[in-house]
Amino acid sequence: MSVTNDLLNTVLRHAGQEVSRKEFLNLAGRGLAASVAAGTLAACQEKTGAANAAATTPTTGTPAAQVDANTVYAAPGGPQVPSSEAVSPPAKVPAAADKPIELEAWKSDVDPKSPPTPTPLPPDQRVGYALVGLGHLTLEELLPAFGACKKSKPVALVSGSPEKLAKVAKQYGIKPTSCYSYADYDKLKDNPEVQAIYIVLPNSMHAEYVLRGAKTGKHILCEKPMANSVRECELMIAACKEAKVKLMIAYRIQYEPYNRLVRDMVRGEKFGKVKYIQAQNSQSSANPDHWRHKKALAGGGALPDIGLYCLNTSRFLLGTEPTEVFGYMHSTPGNPLFKEVEEMMSWQMRFPNGVLVSAITHYDTHDSRFYRVNAERGWLHLDNGYAYRGQQLTTSHAEGPAKMQNQLTIGANNQFAAEMDHFSECILENKPPHTPGEEGLQDQRIMEAIYQSAREGRPVKLPPVSGTDVFRGPEPKLG
Ligand code: NAD
């Protein structure tokens, strides 16, 4: 403020007091006034030739203690900018690593609150991950997501391509000695930097790499779908139990704030009891040679790859388990993409209390990923609900004569970082994961029933499950 005043006084002196100081500040605002004043001052000095030697001390990097608040810095070419006294406003700095620094508050309660400042662990205390498979998901999402992680870091890579290994290792600072071929995967056992293995391979390989991984004694995070059969899922769970390592399935949606908010609104009966959910996850593929179109590698088509999100998220929102399913499947005859796996699956799931979920997934339509939860007195619509980012939540309810449609905006997160940090927390604090192997096994059971129903053209009953969140571990601490 003193800089503004000093500059202003100087400008007014040079300008012959053509405007009053109050008028000037009202016109420009104080911040703008300071820079306008600096510019005007420079122009005045140039015009009069009366350079003010005391106002030009154009060095940067002066320690705060030596800075004179009246100093004016000159930019190349002559214009001058004001200096401010460098200070640290009052802040609370708790000693505990997991307690955030609280900065001086300045926002009113009229606007949404900012989230707490992050509390990242020092790098040497974070859980070290070995990423297995350097394909689209690993390179495009997971490795970049470590930049947003607070408890996780990449320390090893497993790939069949030495060229990719060398390049990616350089990009992310991973030691050449921590790069492994698939044949050498089991040697992760001897790498003390690795505490967790993240399996990002084609679906059919998940079972083998979890079984081999468990033998290394490392904890395992495995991509969805968990495997290609109920039997494989059971073996994976048993192997991890026997080896006393944790197993988590990477259901990122369950760590995503918008989906979690919808879940809380559903469970809290924000608009009354839920009656039915419509869910859709569709995209378009073009390469019949890709593993996603080979039954032996993928296990199925659209259903286990992307339809799984409609299934798993509905179970997550409701907390209960379906009692019966009815599927309808289609593949366009002659399309090489769908010689082995389904192009489309449409299915219904009956949940307790008459709640119905109606879902569709497609491999040959434009990208579309949303769901709508229909309740007694309103609905919740999550556009891009299953996408990596860009969730848009709209709700509708009646107020008197008006139909209110509201768009709710909350802080987004990096779903992959949140999911990995949750698993790291489970490892650091020896807790069970929120989405353990049992959660993946239940989805596999339901998918097998949907396929059976579609093949046989009749509804298929599922073993009854009573209770809520039966297959999930404790709530994750997010944020
Ligand atoms: P991708 O084809 O891009 O990558 C697969 C990787 O596996 C490649 O690096 C490939 O070299 C390696 N691989 C090893 N043996 C292979 C074989 N026999 N055939 C083909 N590839 C082989 O696949 P992706 O999209 O990264 O998917 C990998 C896993 O991640 C799948 O299980 C998929 O369902 C899952 N995924 C999850 C999400 C999510 O949002 N959670 C998103 C995409 C993929």
Side-chain angles (χ1 to χ4, degrees), residues 399-414:
E399 271 186 28
K403 185 169 179 182
M404 305 286 287
Q405 292 206 349
N406 296 319
Q407 180 141 8
L408 277 72
T409 306
I410 55 173
N413 71 358
N414 182 312

Side-chain angles (χ1 to χ4, degrees), residues 156-229:
L157 302 171
V158 181
S159 168
S161 156
E163 296 80 16
K164 249 196 282 180
L165 272 175
K167 179 155 185 157
V168 177
K170 260 193 207 153
Q171 288 170 333
Y172 290 92
I174 288 159
K175 296 174 192 157
T177 50
S178 292
C179 293
Y180 302 84
S181 66
Y182 292 113
D184 285 343
Y185 170 65
D186 312 270
K187 293 187 180 154
L188 284 174
K189 186 182 191 331
D190 304 319
N191 189 334
E193 285 188 326
V194 175
Q195 287 156 283
I197 295 174
Y198 193 166
I199 296 168
V200 205
L201 294 167
N203 307 343
S204 67
M205 303 174 73
H206 294 181
E208 175 194 336
Y209 279 79
V210 167
L211 263 57
R212 286 171 64 188
K215 288 212 175 109
T216 68
K218 311 291 180 180
H219 303 287
I220 302 179
L221 176 56
C222 177
E223 260 311 326
K224 47 55 60 183
M226 183 169 172
N228 282 359
S229 69

Side-chain angles (χ1 to χ4, degrees), residues 43 51 78 82 123-124 139 143 160 170 182 200 252 274 357 404-405 414 418-419 438 440 456 462:
D124 62 341
L139 297 190
L143 281 165
K170 260 193 207 153
Y182 292 113
V200 205
R252 60 183 166 79
V274 169
V357 173
M404 305 286 287
Q405 292 206 349
N414 182 312
E419 157 203 292
E438 287 76 2
E456 298 176 4
L462 287 156

Side-chain angles (χ1 to χ4, degrees), residues 280-284 302 306-307 310 360-370 386:
Q280 172 166 331
N281 202 3
S282 304
Q283 64 192 34
S284 177
I306 51 175
C310 306
I360 187 161
T361 184
H362 211 291
Y363 253 176
D364 198 17
T365 58
H366 178 59
D367 179 307
S368 172
R369 312 173 194 279
F370 66 86
Y386 310 120

